[in-house]
Amino acid sequence: MRHFNVAVLGAGGVGKSALTIRYFRDDFVSSYDPTIEEIYHKTIVIDGEVCTLEVMDSAGTEQFTTISEQYITSARGFLLVFSLAQEASLQEVRKLRDQIYRIKGPQAQSRVPIVVVGTKSDLTDEREVRRSTIARLSAEWNLPFYETSAKRNHNVEATFNDLFRQMYTRYPAVTRGRDRDRGSCVIM
């Protein structure tokens, strides 16, 4: 069984926890309670294979910079979260993306599974991040962007599934047993 660990990163108050809780518990939490760290586990099936997921919901990056570096070092995939109602939070995502590439090394840009997530799409009157900005950055960064609403459960599952699919492809299974004992591996 393959195991994937994911870090959910972004500025404080952008909806990282609401997004994660909606995916794992199918519940919407409307009150803001700053997270230090929460870890969620789930078993899913991708292409008929059972995989376990561990998703670490982090504190806002401005609060615990050292901890976020540890998350980046250990995680194999990332959800970079910003609020569509807060332009400054998108700049934080840019910094996080650059930090991931710096920590993961020179090959990271083409190899690390990342999905960029704009939350609070239901707050249309408060929107600050234009769709044209998202389209431009998506093309420039060559990363998938999703607009989500944890409140309305819009695009939440699609966001996580895209990341898990990237990880499933990027980190292929290695067969166990005889091939492993001989020092070779079989990549599916």
Side-chain angles (χ1 to χ4, degrees), residues 1 4 17 21 55-57 60-61 64 68 71 76 88 103 116-117 138 143 146 148 151 154 165 169 172 182 186:
M1 180 180 318
F4 300 121
S17 295
I21 290 168
V55 175
M56 191 278 311
D57 177 18
T61 52
F64 296 97
S68 72
Y71 298 151
R76 297 178 83 190
I103 290 170
V116 184
V117 185
S138 180
L143 293 174
Y146 285 86
T148 66
K151 183 176 187 176
H154 174 72
R165 175 76 49 201
T169 302
R182 284 185 264 163
V186 176

Side-chain angles (χ1 to χ4, degrees), residues 112-126:
V112 176
I114 298 175
V115 171
V116 184
V117 185
T119 60
K120 305 181 184 183
S121 66
D122 55 293
L123 302 179
T124 55
D125 293 341
E126 298 175 38

Side-chain angles (χ1 to χ4, degrees), residues 86-102:
Q86 187 182 7
E87 179 83 34
S89 66
L90 183 56
Q91 297 312 312
E92 187 63 29
V93 163
R94 180 185 297 275
K95 292 176 192 173
L96 286 165
R97 176 186 149 270
D98 293 345
Q99 186 179 20
I100 290 166
Y101 292 159
R102 180 181 52 78

Side-chain angles (χ1 to χ4, degrees), residues 13-46:
V14 297
K16 296 180 302 293
S17 295
L19 182 76
T20 305
I21 290 168
R22 172 58 85 177
Y23 179 75
F24 279 88
R25 298 183 188 156
D26 195 24
D27 189 21
F28 176 67
V29 178
S30 59
S31 61
Y32 176 62
D33 183 17
T35 303
I36 293 177
E37 176 182 306
E38 283 291 326
I39 297 178
Y40 299 88
H41 295 90
K42 190 171 189 171
T43 302
I44 64 168
V45 177
I46 302 176

Side-chain angles (χ1 to χ4, degrees), residues 2 47 49 168-176 185-188:
R2 288 202 256 178
D47 292 344
E49 182 178 354
Y168 185 81
T169 302
R170 168 64 184 94
Y171 306 113
V174 177
T175 58
R176 312 258 177 207
C185 66
V186 176
I187 298 179
M188 300 166 70

